[in-house]
Amino acid sequence: MIFKSFWFWFITVFIAIQFIPVDVPAKIESDPKDEIEAPKEIISILKRSCYDCHSNESTYPWYDRVAPVSWIVKDHVKNGRKVVNFSIWKSYEKKKQKFFADKLGKAIIIRMPMPSYLWLHPKATLSNVEKKLLKEWGENLKETIK
Ligand code: HEC
């Protein structure tokens, strides 16, 4: 009996969940004037390693669009943008900018980008040199936000 087969149900459910809409768009319009400004090498690190979850310009490769992976990606992007969204950085209050600058150094050493993300997106891995650059940038940033 096909209806008793594990694979029949597995595949049916797998196909069915693809129709559950994912409501976090990869791209959102925002004013380019609000985007973060930083030295060129910092921007290129942020774009490569952080923009997928902390900007309005996320890119979802095909495997990020397949449920249930897409649900996890959606949550990362939604929560990541809440913490800091580099696309609208300049519209933030100083307090929020400072909060981020404060957390940055520790975050990149302990858990940013997230290991579960790096597994599928190895190009986002930060080298030790890049971690150091980001950390120093964060410390400078903290000083400049008054
Ligand atoms: C796969 C998605 C993803 C990527 C890529 C990512 N982040 Fe995050 N980030 C999140 C999420 C989700 C949170 C909020 C939940 C949490 O703190 O775990 C967060 C939180 C943070 C925080 C706040 C931490 C705290 O202690 O409150 C900082 C700072 C941060 N990210 C920096 C970065 C930087 C810098 C990069 C790039 C080097 C990066 N993130 C890449 C998803 C991501």
Side-chain angles (χ1 to χ4, degrees), residues 86-103:
F86 295 121
S87 303
I88 56 168
W89 173 262
K90 289 189 195 154
S91 71
Y92 286 151
E93 287 173 29
K94 300 272 181 273
K95 210 172 97 196
K96 180 153 176 145
Q97 296 184 345
K98 218 169 181 129
F99 173 85
F100 167 78
D102 229 18
K103 300 269 183 190

Side-chain angles (χ1 to χ4, degrees), residues 133-145:
L133 278 173
L134 276 186
K135 192 161 171 279
E136 284 166 4
W137 170 68
E139 282 158 8
N140 278 329
L141 198 61
K142 227 165 33 185
E143 301 303 317
T144 53
I145 303 167

Side-chain angles (χ1 to χ4, degrees), residues 83-124:
V83 175
V84 61
N85 182 336
F86 295 121
S87 303
I88 56 168
W89 173 262
K90 289 189 195 154
S91 71
Y92 286 151
E93 287 173 29
K94 300 272 181 273
K95 210 172 97 196
K96 180 153 176 145
Q97 296 184 345
K98 218 169 181 129
F99 173 85
F100 167 78
D102 229 18
K103 300 269 183 190
L104 176 71
K106 212 164 167 196
I108 50 174
I109 287 169
I110 305 176
R111 56 204 178 94
M112 285 292 139
M114 313 169 141
S116 61
Y117 166 79
L118 290 177
W119 180 63
L120 279 174
H121 309 82
K123 72 164 179 40

Side-chain angles (χ1 to χ4, degrees), residues 28-145:
I28 301 177
E29 285 284 325
S30 52
D31 192 336
K33 285 203 294 290
D34 287 337
E35 189 159 11
I36 194 158
E37 269 178 67
K40 221 169 66 210
E41 65 270 31
I42 297 292
I43 294 288
S44 90
I45 300 171
L46 294 180
K47 290 210 160 154
R48 200 191 75 227
S49 296
C50 321
Y51 262 48
D52 269 354
C53 303
H54 292 293
S55 85
N56 283 343
E57 296 164 49
S58 311
T59 49
Y60 301 157
W62 69 265
Y63 46 80
D64 283 352
R65 295 169 203 256
V66 179
V69 174
S70 58
W71 303 342
I72 300 167
V73 171
K74 178 187 95 166
D75 266 1
H76 283 166
V77 176
K78 201 157 111 194
N79 296 329
R81 280 176 182 158
K82 243 187 257 164
V83 175
V84 61
N85 182 336
F86 295 121
S87 303
I88 56 168
W89 173 262
K90 289 189 195 154
S91 71
Y92 286 151
E93 287 173 29
K94 300 272 181 273
K95 210 172 97 196
K96 180 153 176 145
Q97 296 184 345
K98 218 169 181 129
F99 173 85
F100 167 78
D102 229 18
K103 300 269 183 190
L104 176 71
K106 212 164 167 196
I108 50 174
I109 287 169
I110 305 176
R111 56 204 178 94
M112 285 292 139
M114 313 169 141
S116 61
Y117 166 79
L118 290 177
W119 180 63
L120 279 174
H121 309 82
K123 72 164 179 40
T125 309
L126 297 173
S127 69
N128 287 337
V129 175
E130 290 169 333
K131 283 188 184 172
K132 196 159 159 274
L133 278 173
L134 276 186
K135 192 161 171 279
E136 284 166 4
W137 170 68
E139 282 158 8
N140 278 329
L141 198 61
K142 227 165 33 185
E143 301 303 317
T144 53
I145 303 167

